[in-house]
């Protein structure tokens, strides 16, 4: 009789963030705005890095991957969440839930280890400046990017596989707005104590390893900065790390709060708010922090803006000159100079392959 009453779960239902219409409208507008800014800011950062030759350095190579991870991390949750805000039935298929959990976990772990790679890059730049170009070669940079993706793949595949190998035969309502692991495990029709222990060790290993790399790197950086004689030199050295430190503090502070916060039913509301912050808000903050606090990024944006304005003025000037020359042709030497100047400008404007990638 017991086997007859147990049915296999084929979909899960989210409770979502709120059931009040007024709150739903406010949340939808705010979250849609945040998601659009996230896509625009991170995409703009990637385009800026790859079109400005002065940003073709390992530091900004890592930053472009961080922006890519932020876009994907937010996109793995935000579109579904926005669609579900006004939906009566906030459902997701069994495989859809597994896919969402894998992608969200993959990109969060990737971001943790990418920040560790960026911290090592800053350590080499400040503590070993004369050997920087030699140490941070193309091969090393590729390894420092592929390593985080490999670690994230292993970690996310492990906990996703262990979770969805469990039997789900009872309730299918997840008290969250996405496939979050804690409320999902509470729905399993089996003992999950061992799996929860494995997850705890896995999350601890990922957090401690990546956090330790970052902390050790910054201890060495701090020691090196303190040895600089001039205050101006210390300020310049620290300014190259300030944006990275802010991003690290926000992300790890949020993840630490989630890990230590009790998983009782009364705390699920706070857990949703914190999860919303690190899955949707943090990907929006990262490009803003790097653009507002980084002089090189601001200068690159200014150069690209001025270049586009100059190109528009040049095109308008050439159009007017050539239009006026229909009835009265210009001298050949002047036409040649205008054409050569335009071709030269357009050629210099085209993005170049980073020189350090050709080493």
């Amino acid at each position: 009789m017991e086997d007859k009453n147990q049915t296999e779960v084929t979909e899960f239902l989210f409770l979502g963030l709120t059931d009040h219409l007024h709150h739903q409208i406010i949340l939808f507008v705010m979250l849609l705005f945040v998601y659009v800014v996230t896509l625009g800011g991170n995409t703009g950062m990637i385009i800026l890095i790859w079109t400005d030759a002065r940003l073709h350095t390992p530091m900004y190579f890592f930053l472009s991957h961080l922006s890519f991870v932020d876009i994907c991390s937010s996109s793995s949750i935000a579109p579904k969440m926005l669609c579900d805000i006004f939906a009566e039935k906030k459902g997701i298929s069994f495989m859809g839930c597994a896919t969402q959990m894998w992608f969200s976990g993959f990109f969060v772990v990737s971001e943790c280890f990418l920040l560790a790679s960026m911290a090592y890059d800053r350590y080499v730049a400040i503590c070993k400046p004369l050997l920087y170009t030699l140490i941070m070669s193309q091969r090393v940079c590729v390894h420092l990017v592929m390593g985080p993706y490999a670690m994230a793949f292993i970690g996310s595949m492990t906990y996703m596989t262990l979770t969805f190998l469990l039997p789900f035969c009872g309730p299918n309502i997840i008290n969250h707005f996405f496939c979050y692991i804690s409320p999902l495990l509470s729905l399993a029709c089996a003992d999950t104590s061992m799996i929860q222990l494995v997850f705890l060790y896995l999350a601890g290993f990922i957090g401690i390893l990546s956090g330790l790399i970052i902390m050790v790197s910054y201890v060495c950086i701090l020691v090196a900065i303190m040895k600089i004689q001039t205050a101006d030199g210390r300020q310049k050295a620290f300014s190259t790390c300030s944006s990275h430190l802010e991003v690290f503090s926000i992300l790890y502070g949020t993840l630490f709060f989630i890990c230590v916060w009790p998983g009782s039913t009364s705390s699920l509301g706070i857990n949703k708010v914190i999860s919303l912050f690190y899955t949707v808000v943090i990907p929006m903050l990262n490009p803003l922090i790097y653009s507002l606090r980084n002089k090189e990024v601001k200068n690159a944006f200014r150069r690209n803006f001025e270049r586009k304005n100059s190109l528009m003025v040049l095109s308008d000037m050439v159009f007017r000159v050539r239009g006026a020359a229909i009835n009265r042709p210009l001298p050949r030497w002047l036409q040649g100079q205008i054409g050569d100047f335009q071709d030269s400008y357009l050629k210099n404007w085209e993005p170049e392959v980073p020189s350090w990638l050709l080493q």
Side-chain angles (χ1 to χ4, degrees), residues 174 268 288:
I174 301 175
L268 280 174
L288 295 178

Side-chain angles (χ1 to χ4, degrees), residues 81-248:
M81 178 182 60
L82 288 170
C83 292
D84 285 345
I85 286 181
F86 297 111
E88 260 186 57
K89 182 182 178 182
K90 304 174 176 63
I92 187 171
S93 67
F94 187 87
M95 288 305 299
C97 187
T99 303
Q100 187 185 60
M101 176 183 283
W102 188 89
F103 276 107
S104 60
F106 175 82
F107 290 115
V108 169
V109 176
S110 297
E111 183 159 356
C112 290
F113 282 105
L114 271 175
L115 290 175
S117 297
M118 296 173 74
Y120 175 75
D121 171 71
R122 292 299 84 205
Y123 157 74
V124 177
I126 294 175
C127 299
K128 301 180 180 180
L130 299 179
L131 300 175
Y132 181 73
T133 55
L134 181 63
I135 295 175
M136 300 302 295
S137 62
Q138 175 191 357
R139 185 175 182 180
V140 172
C141 290
V142 171
H143 286 171
L144 288 175
V145 166
M146 297 307 297
Y149 291 142
M151 294 293 292
F153 179 84
I154 295 171
S156 57
M157 184 61 73
T158 299
Y159 74 73
M160 188 272 290
T161 303
L162 290 176
T163 300
F164 286 91
L165 283 178
L166 291 170
F168 291 93
C169 51
N172 65 338
I173 298 176
I174 301 175
N175 191 4
H176 220 284
F177 59 89
F178 74 104
C179 287
Y180 189 62
I181 191 167
S182 297
L184 192 60
L185 286 178
S186 65
L187 303 179
C189 302
D191 182 24
T192 61
S193 56
M194 284 300 296
I195 294 180
Q196 288 179 350
L197 191 62
V198 171
F199 291 161
L200 180 64
Y201 283 126
L202 184 61
F205 171 76
I206 292 170
I208 291 174
L209 179 60
S210 57
L212 193 62
I213 294 172
I214 296 172
M215 292 176 67
V216 170
S217 297
Y218 275 106
V219 168
C220 296
I221 289 172
L222 184 62
V223 171
I225 290 177
M226 295 304 293
K227 292 179 181 179
I228 299 176
Q229 300 297 325
T230 62
D232 186 56
R234 287 195 294 268
Q235 184 178 1
K236 286 182 178 179
F238 185 75
S239 65
T240 63
C241 308
S242 58
S243 300
H244 180 266
L245 270 175
E246 289 181 22
V247 173
F248 162 71

Side-chain angles (χ1 to χ4, degrees), residues 335-355:
Q335 293 182 18
Q337 284 190 355
I338 292 175
D340 292 343
F341 180 71
Q342 185 182 20
D343 294 341
S344 175
Y345 191 91
L346 291 173
K347 182 179 180 181
N348 292 332
W349 180 80
E350 291 177 356
E352 302 173 1
V353 177
S355 57

Side-chain angles (χ1 to χ4, degrees), residues 245-255 277 282 285-286 289:
L245 270 175
E246 289 181 22
V247 173
F248 162 71
S249 301
I250 293 172
L251 177 63
Y252 276 73
T254 306
L255 294 178
F277 185 77
I282 288 181
L285 293 178
N286 289 350
I289 291 173

